[in-house]
Amino acid sequence: MAKIAYILLCHKDPEAIVKQAERLTATGDYISIHFDARAKAEDFQTIKDALSDNTNVAFAHKRIQCGWGEWSLVEATLYAVETAVEKFPRATHFYMVSGDCMVIKSSEYIHDFLDENDVDFIESFDFFESNWIKTGMQGERLIYRHWFNERTQKRRFYLAFNFQRKLGLERKIPSDLQVMIGSQWWCLRRETIEAVLHFTKQRRDVMRFFRTTWIPDETFFQTIVRHLVPSAEIRSRSLTFLMFTDYGMPLTFYNDHYELLLSQDYLFARKISPEAIELKERLGRLYAEEGVKFQISAEGPSLFKFLTGRGREGKRFASRFWETESSLGRDRELMILVCKKWHVAKRLLYRIQQKTDIPAIAYLFNEESTPLPDLGGIQSTLEKRTRHRRALMRMLFDYYDTNRLIVCLDPSAMDLMQDFFSDRSTTRMLELQCKFTDEYLTGHATRIGLAGEQTTQETLERLLPTIRRDILNESDRILDAGFTNVVHLREGEEESHSIAALMEFLRVPEETAKDVAGVEHLFDD
Protein backbone atom coordinates (compact mmCIF):
# COMPACT_ATOMS: atom_id res chain seq x y z
CA MET A 1 0.00 0.00 0.00
CA ALA A 2 1.17 3.53 -0.77
CA LYS A 3 2.94 5.44 2.00
CA ILE A 4 3.25 9.16 1.34
CA ALA A 5 5.98 11.54 2.44
CA TYR A 6 4.56 15.02 2.12
CA ILE A 7 7.08 17.73 1.26
CA LEU A 8 5.89 20.94 2.90
CA LEU A 9 7.36 24.36 2.09
CA CYS A 10 5.99 27.06 4.40
CA HIS A 11 6.88 30.41 5.91
CA LYS A 12 4.09 31.55 8.24
CA ASP A 13 1.21 30.60 10.54
CA PRO A 14 2.96 28.03 12.79
CA GLU A 15 -0.28 26.89 14.43
CA ALA A 16 -1.77 26.00 11.04
CA ILE A 17 1.43 24.16 10.05
CA VAL A 18 1.26 22.07 13.22
CA LYS A 19 -2.38 21.14 12.54
CA GLN A 20 -1.58 20.30 8.92
CA ALA A 21 1.33 18.04 9.93
CA GLU A 22 -0.75 16.27 12.59
CA ARG A 23 -3.60 15.76 10.13
CA LEU A 24 -1.44 14.38 7.30
CA THR A 25 0.45 11.96 9.57
CA ALA A 26 -2.62 10.75 11.49
CA THR A 27 -3.19 7.77 9.18
CA GLY A 28 0.44 6.65 9.01
CA ASP A 29 2.00 8.93 6.39
CA TYR A 30 5.02 11.18 6.80
CA ILE A 31 5.90 14.83 6.36
CA SER A 32 9.18 16.68 5.81
CA ILE A 33 9.00 20.41 6.54
CA HIS A 34 11.11 23.29 5.30
CA PHE A 35 10.21 26.44 7.23
CA ASP A 36 11.61 29.56 5.54
CA ALA A 37 14.69 30.93 7.30
CA ARG A 38 13.30 34.43 6.75
CA ALA A 39 10.53 33.68 9.24
CA LYS A 40 10.75 34.37 12.95
CA ALA A 41 12.94 31.97 14.90
CA GLU A 42 10.28 31.66 17.61
CA ASP A 43 7.71 30.52 15.02
CA PHE A 44 10.00 27.72 13.89
CA GLN A 45 10.62 26.72 17.48
CA THR A 46 6.87 26.60 18.09
CA ILE A 47 6.48 24.11 15.24
CA LYS A 48 9.40 21.96 16.40
CA ASP A 49 8.20 21.85 20.00
CA ALA A 50 4.63 20.96 19.03
CA LEU A 51 5.73 18.12 16.73
CA SER A 52 8.74 16.84 18.65
CA ASP A 53 6.98 13.62 19.74
CA ASN A 54 5.68 12.77 16.25
CA THR A 55 8.11 10.30 14.71
CA ASN A 56 6.46 10.73 11.31
CA VAL A 57 7.58 14.35 11.12
CA ALA A 58 11.03 15.50 10.00
CA PHE A 59 12.57 18.87 9.23
CA ALA A 60 14.80 19.72 6.28
CA HIS A 61 18.44 19.19 7.22
CA LYS A 62 19.16 22.76 6.15
CA ARG A 63 17.00 25.89 6.24
CA ILE A 64 17.51 28.72 3.76
CA GLN A 65 15.88 32.03 2.97
CA CYS A 66 13.46 31.66 0.07
CA GLY A 67 12.27 34.19 -2.50
CA TRP A 68 9.59 33.95 -5.16
CA GLY A 69 11.02 33.10 -8.58
CA GLU A 70 14.42 32.19 -7.15
CA TRP A 71 16.46 29.00 -7.19
CA SER A 72 16.09 29.02 -3.39
CA LEU A 73 12.61 27.49 -3.70
CA VAL A 74 14.00 24.49 -5.60
CA GLU A 75 16.96 24.23 -3.21
CA ALA A 76 14.66 24.23 -0.18
CA THR A 77 12.54 21.54 -1.82
CA LEU A 78 15.62 19.40 -2.44
CA TYR A 79 16.70 19.74 1.19
CA ALA A 80 13.28 18.62 2.40
CA VAL A 81 13.21 15.76 -0.13
CA GLU A 82 16.69 14.56 0.87
CA THR A 83 15.61 14.47 4.51
CA ALA A 84 12.40 12.59 3.67
CA VAL A 85 14.27 9.96 1.62
CA GLU A 86 16.71 9.36 4.49
CA LYS A 87 14.24 9.50 7.40
CA PHE A 88 11.32 7.63 5.84
CA PRO A 89 12.61 4.54 3.98
CA ARG A 90 9.08 3.09 3.77
CA ALA A 91 7.70 6.08 1.86
CA THR A 92 6.62 5.08 -1.65
CA HIS A 93 5.45 8.52 -2.86
CA PHE A 94 6.57 12.10 -2.30
CA TYR A 95 3.85 14.75 -2.57
CA MET A 96 4.67 18.47 -2.75
CA VAL A 97 2.35 20.75 -0.75
CA SER A 98 2.33 24.25 0.72
CA GLY A 99 0.97 25.73 3.92
CA ASP A 100 -2.07 26.93 1.95
CA CYS A 101 -2.98 23.44 0.71
CA MET A 102 -5.72 21.25 2.15
CA VAL A 103 -6.61 17.66 1.41
CA ILE A 104 -10.01 17.29 -0.34
CA LYS A 105 -10.28 13.51 -0.33
CA SER A 106 -10.08 10.88 2.40
CA SER A 107 -6.77 9.17 3.18
CA GLU A 108 -8.35 5.91 2.07
CA TYR A 109 -9.28 7.37 -1.31
CA ILE A 110 -5.83 8.91 -1.84
CA HIS A 111 -3.93 5.72 -1.06
CA ASP A 112 -6.21 3.62 -3.26
CA PHE A 113 -5.76 6.14 -6.06
CA LEU A 114 -1.96 5.98 -5.86
CA ASP A 115 -2.00 2.18 -5.62
CA GLU A 116 -4.08 2.00 -8.79
CA ASN A 117 -1.89 4.48 -10.71
CA ASP A 118 1.76 3.46 -10.75
CA VAL A 119 2.91 6.68 -12.43
CA ASP A 120 4.38 10.08 -11.60
CA PHE A 121 2.01 13.03 -11.51
CA ILE A 122 3.74 16.21 -12.63
CA GLU A 123 2.77 18.84 -15.17
CA SER A 124 5.50 18.88 -17.81
CA PHE A 125 4.80 20.65 -21.07
CA ASP A 126 7.35 21.72 -23.66
CA PHE A 127 8.69 25.10 -22.56
CA PHE A 128 8.79 26.64 -26.03
CA GLU A 129 5.84 24.96 -27.75
CA SER A 130 3.14 24.69 -25.09
CA ASN A 131 2.16 28.35 -24.60
CA TRP A 132 2.05 27.58 -20.87
CA ILE A 133 3.48 31.01 -20.06
CA LYS A 134 0.82 33.62 -20.78
CA THR A 135 2.61 36.89 -19.92
CA GLY A 136 6.07 38.20 -19.10
CA MET A 137 9.43 36.62 -19.87
CA GLN A 138 9.49 33.37 -21.77
CA GLY A 139 12.71 32.15 -23.43
CA GLU A 140 14.54 34.94 -21.58
CA ARG A 141 14.02 32.96 -18.37
CA LEU A 142 16.53 30.41 -19.66
CA ILE A 143 18.98 31.96 -22.10
CA TYR A 144 20.05 34.77 -19.76
CA ARG A 145 21.43 34.46 -16.23
CA HIS A 146 19.33 35.85 -13.39
CA TRP A 147 21.16 36.62 -10.16
CA PHE A 148 18.67 39.03 -8.59
CA ASN A 149 15.05 38.78 -7.50
CA GLU A 150 12.69 40.69 -9.79
CA ARG A 151 10.32 41.52 -6.94
CA THR A 152 12.78 42.68 -4.28
CA GLN A 153 15.68 43.90 -6.48
CA LYS A 154 13.84 45.08 -9.57
CA ARG A 155 16.45 47.63 -10.64
CA ARG A 156 19.35 45.18 -10.43
CA PHE A 157 17.29 42.44 -12.04
CA TYR A 158 16.56 44.49 -15.18
CA LEU A 159 20.00 46.11 -15.33
CA ALA A 160 21.61 42.67 -15.45
CA PHE A 161 19.03 41.40 -17.92
CA ASN A 162 19.32 44.36 -20.30
CA PHE A 163 23.13 44.31 -20.10
CA GLN A 164 23.24 40.66 -21.21
CA ARG A 165 20.70 41.22 -23.95
CA LYS A 166 22.51 44.29 -25.30
CA LEU A 167 25.84 42.44 -25.48
CA GLY A 168 24.27 39.27 -26.84
CA LEU A 169 25.38 37.19 -23.85
CA GLU A 170 22.96 34.38 -24.47
CA ARG A 171 23.81 30.94 -23.09
CA LYS A 172 23.01 27.51 -24.40
CA ILE A 173 20.56 25.12 -22.78
CA PRO A 174 22.20 21.76 -21.88
CA SER A 175 22.08 19.93 -25.20
CA ASP A 176 20.56 16.68 -23.93
CA LEU A 177 17.67 18.34 -22.09
CA GLN A 178 14.22 19.24 -23.38
CA VAL A 179 13.16 22.00 -21.01
CA MET A 180 9.65 21.44 -19.67
CA ILE A 181 7.32 23.65 -17.66
CA GLY A 182 4.35 23.16 -15.36
CA SER A 183 2.90 23.46 -11.89
CA GLN A 184 5.27 22.95 -8.95
CA TRP A 185 2.70 20.80 -7.11
CA TRP A 186 3.73 17.26 -8.00
CA CYS A 187 3.49 13.70 -6.67
CA LEU A 188 6.45 11.46 -7.54
CA ARG A 189 7.25 7.83 -6.84
CA ARG A 190 10.25 6.92 -4.67
CA GLU A 191 12.32 5.53 -7.53
CA THR A 192 11.79 8.79 -9.44
CA ILE A 193 12.80 10.95 -6.48
CA GLU A 194 15.94 8.85 -5.92
CA ALA A 195 16.81 9.14 -9.61
CA VAL A 196 16.37 12.92 -9.46
CA LEU A 197 18.63 13.22 -6.40
CA HIS A 198 21.28 11.06 -8.08
CA PHE A 199 21.03 13.23 -11.21
CA THR A 200 21.60 16.41 -9.18
CA LYS A 201 24.88 15.00 -7.87
CA GLN A 202 26.09 13.76 -11.26
CA ARG A 203 25.10 16.69 -13.49
CA ARG A 204 26.68 19.78 -12.02
CA ASP A 205 26.33 21.53 -15.38
CA VAL A 206 22.56 21.22 -15.22
CA MET A 207 22.52 22.43 -11.62
CA ARG A 208 24.57 25.49 -12.58
CA PHE A 209 22.18 26.20 -15.43
CA PHE A 210 19.02 26.08 -13.33
CA ARG A 211 20.56 28.08 -10.45
CA THR A 212 20.41 31.22 -12.58
CA THR A 213 17.17 30.62 -14.47
CA TRP A 214 14.11 32.67 -13.54
CA ILE A 215 11.23 30.86 -11.73
CA PRO A 216 13.00 27.46 -11.80
CA ASP A 217 10.36 25.83 -9.56
CA GLU A 218 8.21 25.69 -12.71
CA THR A 219 10.93 24.04 -14.82
CA PHE A 220 13.49 22.11 -12.73
CA PHE A 221 11.61 19.00 -11.56
CA GLN A 222 9.41 19.14 -14.65
CA THR A 223 12.47 18.89 -16.92
CA ILE A 224 14.49 16.37 -14.91
CA VAL A 225 11.59 13.97 -14.36
CA ARG A 226 10.72 14.00 -18.07
CA HIS A 227 14.43 13.41 -18.85
CA LEU A 228 14.69 10.40 -16.51
CA VAL A 229 11.28 8.72 -16.64
CA PRO A 230 9.59 7.12 -19.70
CA SER A 231 6.63 9.17 -20.96
CA ALA A 232 4.28 6.23 -20.44
CA GLU A 233 4.95 6.50 -16.69
CA ILE A 234 4.14 10.21 -16.44
CA ARG A 235 0.75 11.86 -16.15
CA SER A 236 1.24 15.48 -17.14
CA ARG A 237 -1.13 16.89 -14.55
CA SER A 238 -1.11 18.04 -10.96
CA LEU A 239 -3.16 16.33 -8.28
CA THR A 240 -3.58 19.68 -6.52
CA PHE A 241 -6.62 21.72 -7.55
CA LEU A 242 -5.94 25.41 -8.05
CA MET A 243 -7.47 28.11 -10.20
CA PHE A 244 -6.36 31.62 -11.09
CA THR A 245 -8.31 34.84 -11.29
CA ASP A 246 -8.28 37.19 -14.30
CA TYR A 247 -5.37 39.00 -12.62
CA GLY A 248 -3.13 35.92 -12.42
CA MET A 249 -3.64 35.42 -8.69
CA PRO A 250 -4.56 32.05 -7.15
CA LEU A 251 -8.25 31.76 -6.33
CA THR A 252 -8.94 31.48 -2.59
CA PHE A 253 -11.45 28.97 -1.27
CA TYR A 254 -13.81 29.64 1.65
CA ASN A 255 -16.26 27.77 3.87
CA ASP A 256 -19.02 27.49 1.24
CA HIS A 257 -16.71 25.76 -1.26
CA TYR A 258 -16.75 22.40 0.55
CA GLU A 259 -19.03 20.54 -1.87
CA LEU A 260 -17.33 22.10 -4.90
CA LEU A 261 -13.89 20.97 -3.74
CA LEU A 262 -14.95 17.41 -2.98
CA SER A 263 -16.39 16.98 -6.49
CA GLN A 264 -13.14 17.89 -8.27
CA ASP A 265 -10.86 15.24 -9.74
CA TYR A 266 -7.97 16.18 -7.44
CA LEU A 267 -6.56 15.10 -4.07
CA PHE A 268 -5.59 18.50 -2.61
CA ALA A 269 -6.70 22.10 -3.15
CA ARG A 270 -4.86 25.40 -2.97
CA LYS A 271 -5.39 28.12 -1.65
CA ILE A 272 -7.58 27.79 1.42
CA SER A 273 -8.35 31.06 3.18
CA PRO A 274 -6.88 31.38 6.71
CA GLU A 275 -10.35 32.55 7.79
CA ALA A 276 -12.04 29.40 6.43
CA ILE A 277 -11.94 27.68 9.81
CA GLU A 278 -15.07 25.62 9.23
CA LEU A 279 -13.83 24.42 5.83
CA LYS A 280 -10.49 23.33 7.30
CA GLU A 281 -12.19 21.48 10.14
CA ARG A 282 -14.55 19.65 7.79
CA LEU A 283 -11.75 18.69 5.40
CA GLY A 284 -9.58 17.63 8.34
CA ARG A 285 -12.28 15.27 9.62
CA LEU A 286 -12.86 13.97 6.09
CA TYR A 287 -9.25 12.83 5.73
CA ALA A 288 -9.55 10.25 8.50
CA GLU A 289 -12.97 8.91 7.48
CA GLU A 290 -13.44 5.52 5.83
CA GLY A 291 -15.88 4.33 3.20
CA VAL A 292 -16.55 7.81 1.79
CA LYS A 293 -17.82 7.82 -1.80
CA PHE A 294 -16.97 10.82 -3.95
CA GLN A 295 -19.04 11.95 -6.94
CA ILE A 296 -16.58 13.52 -9.35
CA SER A 297 -18.10 16.13 -11.66
CA ALA A 298 -14.98 18.32 -12.14
CA GLU A 299 -16.87 21.37 -13.42
CA GLY A 300 -15.02 23.76 -11.09
CA PRO A 301 -12.71 25.57 -13.56
CA SER A 302 -15.34 26.10 -16.25
CA LEU A 303 -17.97 27.11 -13.70
CA PHE A 304 -15.64 29.66 -12.11
CA LYS A 305 -14.71 31.10 -15.52
CA PHE A 306 -18.37 31.34 -16.47
CA LEU A 307 -19.50 33.07 -13.27
CA THR A 308 -16.60 35.52 -12.98
CA GLY A 309 -16.79 36.41 -16.68
CA ARG A 310 -20.34 37.72 -16.40
CA GLY A 311 -20.59 41.48 -16.27
CA ARG A 312 -17.17 42.25 -17.76
CA GLU A 313 -18.10 42.29 -21.40
CA GLY A 314 -17.63 46.02 -21.75
CA LYS A 315 -13.89 45.64 -21.21
CA ARG A 316 -13.43 42.20 -22.62
CA PHE A 317 -14.97 42.92 -25.99
CA ALA A 318 -12.77 45.78 -27.14
CA SER A 319 -11.94 45.86 -30.84
CA ARG A 320 -8.63 44.43 -31.97
CA PHE A 321 -6.19 47.29 -32.56
CA TRP A 322 -4.23 45.50 -35.30
CA GLU A 323 -7.29 45.34 -37.54
CA THR A 324 -8.66 48.87 -37.20
CA GLU A 325 -7.28 49.96 -40.55
CA SER A 326 -8.46 46.96 -42.55
CA SER A 327 -11.91 46.67 -44.10
CA LEU A 328 -14.11 44.10 -45.76
CA GLY A 329 -14.85 46.61 -48.50
CA ARG A 330 -17.43 49.39 -48.87
CA ASP A 331 -19.44 47.53 -51.49
CA ARG A 332 -19.80 44.31 -49.48
CA GLU A 333 -22.68 43.15 -47.28
CA LEU A 334 -22.03 40.90 -44.32
CA MET A 335 -25.18 39.32 -42.86
CA ILE A 336 -24.87 37.89 -39.35
CA LEU A 337 -27.32 35.26 -38.12
CA VAL A 338 -27.22 35.21 -34.31
CA CYS A 339 -28.69 32.39 -32.23
CA LYS A 340 -27.82 30.61 -28.99
CA LYS A 341 -29.28 27.35 -30.27
CA TRP A 342 -26.84 26.53 -33.03
CA HIS A 343 -29.00 23.80 -34.55
CA VAL A 344 -31.85 26.30 -35.03
CA ALA A 345 -29.60 28.75 -36.86
CA LYS A 346 -28.19 25.96 -39.04
CA ARG A 347 -31.70 24.88 -40.08
CA LEU A 348 -32.52 28.41 -41.18
CA LEU A 349 -29.12 28.82 -42.84
CA TYR A 350 -29.63 25.64 -44.87
CA ARG A 351 -33.06 26.88 -45.95
CA ILE A 352 -31.58 30.20 -47.05
CA GLN A 353 -28.98 28.37 -49.11
CA GLN A 354 -31.78 26.38 -50.80
CA LYS A 355 -33.89 29.42 -51.66
CA THR A 356 -31.25 32.05 -52.47
CA ASP A 357 -27.83 32.25 -54.10
CA ILE A 358 -26.18 33.89 -51.08
CA PRO A 359 -23.10 31.97 -49.80
CA ALA A 360 -23.58 31.02 -46.13
CA ILE A 361 -21.25 29.62 -43.46
CA ALA A 362 -22.28 28.28 -40.06
CA TYR A 363 -20.45 28.98 -36.77
CA LEU A 364 -16.96 29.42 -38.22
CA PHE A 365 -15.75 31.33 -35.12
CA ASN A 366 -17.24 28.79 -32.70
CA GLU A 367 -16.77 25.36 -34.28
CA GLU A 368 -13.38 24.15 -35.45
CA SER A 369 -15.07 21.59 -37.71
CA THR A 370 -17.00 24.16 -39.77
CA PRO A 371 -16.24 23.34 -43.46
CA LEU A 372 -14.10 26.09 -44.98
CA PRO A 373 -12.05 26.34 -48.17
CA ASP A 374 -8.27 26.21 -47.98
CA LEU A 375 -7.24 29.83 -47.54
CA GLY A 376 -3.54 29.29 -46.92
CA GLY A 377 -3.84 28.26 -43.27
CA ILE A 378 -5.65 31.29 -41.86
CA GLN A 379 -8.77 29.11 -41.53
CA SER A 380 -6.99 26.21 -39.80
CA THR A 381 -7.80 27.00 -36.13
CA LEU A 382 -10.41 28.97 -34.21
CA GLU A 383 -7.64 31.10 -32.73
CA LYS A 384 -6.37 32.12 -36.17
CA ARG A 385 -9.87 32.76 -37.49
CA THR A 386 -10.71 35.02 -34.56
CA ARG A 387 -7.40 36.85 -34.49
CA HIS A 388 -7.53 37.59 -38.24
CA ARG A 389 -11.31 37.84 -38.56
CA ARG A 390 -11.40 40.67 -41.11
CA ALA A 391 -8.69 39.16 -43.28
CA LEU A 392 -10.52 35.84 -43.16
CA MET A 393 -13.82 37.42 -44.17
CA ARG A 394 -12.22 39.32 -47.06
CA MET A 395 -10.72 36.07 -48.34
CA LEU A 396 -14.11 34.32 -48.08
CA PHE A 397 -15.79 37.10 -50.05
CA ASP A 398 -13.07 36.72 -52.69
CA TYR A 399 -13.23 32.92 -52.67
CA TYR A 400 -16.99 32.87 -53.29
CA ASP A 401 -16.67 35.82 -55.71
CA THR A 402 -19.54 37.59 -54.00
CA ASN A 403 -20.42 40.85 -52.32
CA ARG A 404 -22.97 39.20 -50.03
CA LEU A 405 -22.15 36.63 -47.36
CA ILE A 406 -24.00 35.15 -44.36
CA VAL A 407 -22.29 33.82 -41.22
CA CYS A 408 -23.62 32.51 -37.90
CA LEU A 409 -22.41 33.85 -34.56
CA ASP A 410 -23.13 32.91 -30.98
CA PRO A 411 -24.73 35.85 -29.12
CA SER A 412 -21.79 35.87 -26.71
CA ALA A 413 -19.43 36.98 -29.52
CA MET A 414 -19.93 40.68 -28.85
CA ASP A 415 -16.34 41.51 -29.80
CA LEU A 416 -16.85 40.09 -33.28
CA MET A 417 -20.18 41.91 -33.71
CA GLN A 418 -18.70 45.23 -32.65
CA ASP A 419 -15.76 44.74 -34.96
CA PHE A 420 -17.87 43.90 -38.01
CA PHE A 421 -20.43 46.65 -37.38
CA SER A 422 -17.61 49.19 -37.10
CA ASP A 423 -16.35 48.23 -40.54
CA ARG A 424 -16.97 50.37 -43.63
CA SER A 425 -18.91 47.54 -45.24
CA THR A 426 -22.67 47.10 -44.75
CA THR A 427 -23.47 44.79 -41.85
CA ARG A 428 -26.91 43.44 -40.99
CA MET A 429 -28.03 41.12 -38.22
CA LEU A 430 -30.93 38.74 -37.71
CA GLU A 431 -31.28 37.52 -34.14
CA LEU A 432 -33.23 34.30 -33.62
CA GLN A 433 -34.75 34.50 -30.16
CA CYS A 434 -35.62 31.03 -28.81
CA LYS A 435 -37.36 29.73 -25.73
CA PHE A 436 -35.22 27.74 -23.29
CA THR A 437 -36.60 24.87 -21.23
CA ASP A 438 -34.86 23.57 -18.10
CA GLU A 439 -34.11 20.36 -19.98
CA TYR A 440 -32.34 22.26 -22.75
CA LEU A 441 -30.37 24.39 -20.26
CA THR A 442 -29.25 21.28 -18.39
CA GLY A 443 -27.96 19.80 -21.63
CA HIS A 444 -26.30 23.11 -22.49
CA ALA A 445 -24.56 23.21 -19.09
CA THR A 446 -23.26 19.68 -19.65
CA ARG A 447 -22.02 20.45 -23.18
CA ILE A 448 -20.00 23.48 -22.09
CA GLY A 449 -18.60 21.80 -18.98
CA LEU A 450 -20.56 23.61 -16.25
CA ALA A 451 -22.16 20.34 -15.15
CA GLY A 452 -21.50 16.63 -15.51
CA GLU A 453 -23.22 13.32 -15.08
CA GLN A 454 -22.55 13.40 -11.35
CA THR A 455 -23.73 17.00 -10.77
CA THR A 456 -26.45 16.97 -8.15
CA GLN A 457 -30.00 18.20 -8.79
CA GLU A 458 -29.52 20.79 -6.05
CA THR A 459 -26.51 22.23 -7.86
CA LEU A 460 -28.44 22.32 -11.14
CA GLU A 461 -31.37 24.11 -9.53
CA ARG A 462 -29.00 26.85 -8.39
CA LEU A 463 -27.15 26.95 -11.70
CA LEU A 464 -29.99 26.99 -14.26
CA PRO A 465 -31.45 30.42 -13.32
CA THR A 466 -27.95 31.90 -13.68
CA ILE A 467 -27.49 30.36 -17.13
CA ARG A 468 -30.96 31.49 -18.24
CA ARG A 469 -30.29 35.01 -17.01
CA ASP A 470 -26.91 35.06 -18.73
CA ILE A 471 -28.47 34.07 -22.07
CA LEU A 472 -31.07 36.81 -21.72
CA ASN A 473 -28.32 39.27 -20.81
CA GLU A 474 -26.50 38.40 -24.04
CA SER A 475 -29.60 39.38 -26.01
CA ASP A 476 -29.93 42.57 -23.98
CA ARG A 477 -26.32 43.49 -24.72
CA ILE A 478 -27.02 43.26 -28.44
CA LEU A 479 -29.90 45.72 -28.00
CA ASP A 480 -27.81 48.03 -25.79
CA ALA A 481 -24.98 48.07 -28.35
CA GLY A 482 -27.15 50.20 -30.64
CA PHE A 483 -26.27 48.33 -33.83
CA THR A 484 -28.08 49.48 -36.96
CA ASN A 485 -29.82 47.09 -39.36
CA VAL A 486 -30.84 44.59 -36.66
CA VAL A 487 -34.07 42.58 -36.87
CA HIS A 488 -35.46 39.79 -34.72
CA LEU A 489 -37.22 36.53 -35.47
CA ARG A 490 -38.89 35.17 -32.33
CA GLU A 491 -40.12 31.68 -31.56
CA GLY A 492 -43.91 31.55 -31.50
CA GLU A 493 -44.57 34.83 -33.31
CA GLU A 494 -46.91 35.17 -36.27
CA GLU A 495 -45.59 34.12 -39.67
CA SER A 496 -46.12 37.60 -41.09
CA HIS A 497 -43.56 39.01 -38.62
CA SER A 498 -41.06 36.32 -39.58
CA ILE A 499 -41.49 37.06 -43.29
CA ALA A 500 -41.01 40.78 -42.72
CA ALA A 501 -37.84 40.17 -40.71
CA LEU A 502 -36.40 37.91 -43.41
CA MET A 503 -37.24 40.38 -46.17
CA GLU A 504 -35.34 43.11 -44.35
CA PHE A 505 -32.40 40.91 -43.40
CA LEU A 506 -31.90 39.16 -46.73
CA ARG A 507 -33.10 42.00 -48.98
CA VAL A 508 -35.25 39.53 -50.93
CA PRO A 509 -38.83 39.72 -52.32
CA GLU A 510 -41.75 38.69 -50.12
CA GLU A 511 -42.23 35.41 -52.01
CA THR A 512 -38.64 34.32 -51.34
CA ALA A 513 -38.87 35.35 -47.71
CA LYS A 514 -42.08 33.35 -47.37
CA ASP A 515 -40.35 30.26 -48.79
CA VAL A 516 -37.50 30.67 -46.32
CA ALA A 517 -39.90 31.19 -43.40
CA GLY A 518 -41.65 27.95 -44.33
CA VAL A 519 -38.85 25.78 -42.91
CA GLU A 520 -40.42 23.01 -40.84
CA HIS A 521 -39.76 22.56 -37.11
CA LEU A 522 -37.35 25.50 -37.06
CA PHE A 523 -37.26 25.92 -33.28
CA ASP A 524 -37.52 22.24 -32.30
CA ASP A 525 -34.85 20.93 -29.94
Side-chain angles (χ1 to χ4, degrees), residues 285-307:
R285 291 193 299 269
L286 171 71
Y287 188 65
E289 293 181 11
E290 296 181 355
V292 180
K293 302 297 182 183
F294 297 90
Q295 292 187 334
I296 308 299
S297 56
E299 73 271 21
S302 55
L303 181 59
F304 173 72
K305 183 178 180 181
F306 166 72
L307 293 174

Side-chain angles (χ1 to χ4, degrees), residues 269-462:
R270 185 179 186 273
K271 289 182 158 186
I272 308 297
S273 169
E275 290 78 34
I277 306 301
E278 179 186 346
L279 176 61
K280 291 183 177 181
E281 290 177 350
R282 294 180 72 183
L283 292 174
R285 291 193 299 269
L286 171 71
Y287 188 65
E289 293 181 11
E290 296 181 355
V292 180
K293 302 297 182 183
F294 297 90
Q295 292 187 334
I296 308 299
S297 56
E299 73 271 21
S302 55
L303 181 59
F304 173 72
K305 183 178 180 181
F306 166 72
L307 293 174
T308 55
R310 297 171 68 245
R312 299 206 190 103
E313 289 78 3
K315 293 182 179 179
R316 190 172 65 199
F317 293 146
S319 60
R320 302 296 194 264
F321 70 91
W322 59 81
E323 292 190 15
T324 54
E325 295 304 316
S326 63
S327 174
L328 306 186
R330 291 184 182 275
D331 58 342
R332 285 173 168 169
E333 297 178 26
L334 176 63
M335 290 166 276
I336 303 174
L337 186 57
V338 175
C339 186
K340 196 65 180 179
K341 292 185 178 181
W342 296 359
H343 61 280
V344 173
K346 289 177 180 179
R347 281 190 197 126
L348 183 60
L349 196 70
Y350 180 69
R351 184 74 170 188
I352 292 173
Q353 289 177 304
Q354 287 182 314
K355 301 299 179 180
T356 73
D357 58 355
I358 308 173
I361 306 170
Y363 289 87
L364 72 165
F365 295 106
N366 302 102
E367 291 184 300
E368 194 104 48
S369 59
T370 299
L372 290 171
D374 185 354
L375 301 174
I378 194 174
Q379 83 294 339
S380 59
T381 66
L382 289 177
E383 181 184 3
K384 285 185 177 180
R385 297 175 200 172
T386 303
R387 187 189 315 139
H388 306 295
R389 77 281 301 267
R390 292 198 187 184
L392 173 65
M393 297 309 299
R394 286 198 306 271
M395 294 174 77
L396 287 171
F397 275 107
D398 291 337
Y399 178 85
Y400 289 110
D401 192 22
T402 182
N403 286 332
R404 309 182 75 207
L405 183 66
I406 304 175
V407 298
C408 294
L409 291 183
D410 188 276
S412 64
M414 183 60 70
D415 58 339
L416 293 169
M417 297 178 203
Q418 289 180 329
D419 201 8
F420 290 138
F421 272 97
S422 67
D423 191 76
R424 291 192 291 270
S425 62
T426 300
T427 305
R428 290 197 295 278
M429 179 189 296
L430 172 64
E431 185 187 11
L432 294 174
Q433 295 184 343
C434 307
K435 298 176 181 178
F436 299 93
T437 63
D438 285 352
E439 183 181 40
Y440 174 85
L441 293 177
T442 299
H444 176 70
T446 301
R447 287 189 294 274
I448 63 176
L450 297 180
E453 292 181 0
Q454 302 299 327
T455 303
T456 64
Q457 186 61 35
E458 181 182 358
T459 299
L460 284 174
E461 289 174 358
R462 293 198 305 266

Side-chain angles (χ1 to χ4, degrees), residues 504-520:
E504 184 173 351
F505 174 65
L506 297 172
R507 293 291 195 267
V508 294
E510 182 177 355
E511 183 177 350
T512 303
K514 188 174 182 179
D515 285 342
V516 173
V519 58
E520 295 182 354

Side-chain angles (χ1 to χ4, degrees), residues 186-244:
W186 40 254
C187 179
L188 303 176
R189 297 167 297 173
R190 185 178 192 93
E191 55 267 35
T192 300
I193 283 291
E194 290 177 343
V196 169
L197 294 180
H198 179 73
F199 183 90
T200 62
K201 293 176 173 58
Q202 297 296 315
R203 292 295 300 272
R204 296 299 179 185
D205 60 320
V206 174
M207 299 299 283
R208 285 194 299 272
F209 172 78
F210 277 106
R211 280 182 182 277
T212 51
T213 59
W214 182 231
I215 321 182
D217 54 316
E218 293 180 348
T219 55
F220 178 78
F221 286 97
Q222 296 78 358
T223 299
I224 306 307
V225 170
R226 183 66 71 170
H227 181 71
L228 298 173
V229 179
S231 296
E233 298 180 25
I234 298 175
R235 297 292 180 270
S236 189
R237 59 159 296 192
S238 171
L239 295 177
T240 297
F241 179 55
L242 69 160
M243 296 189 295
F244 291 89

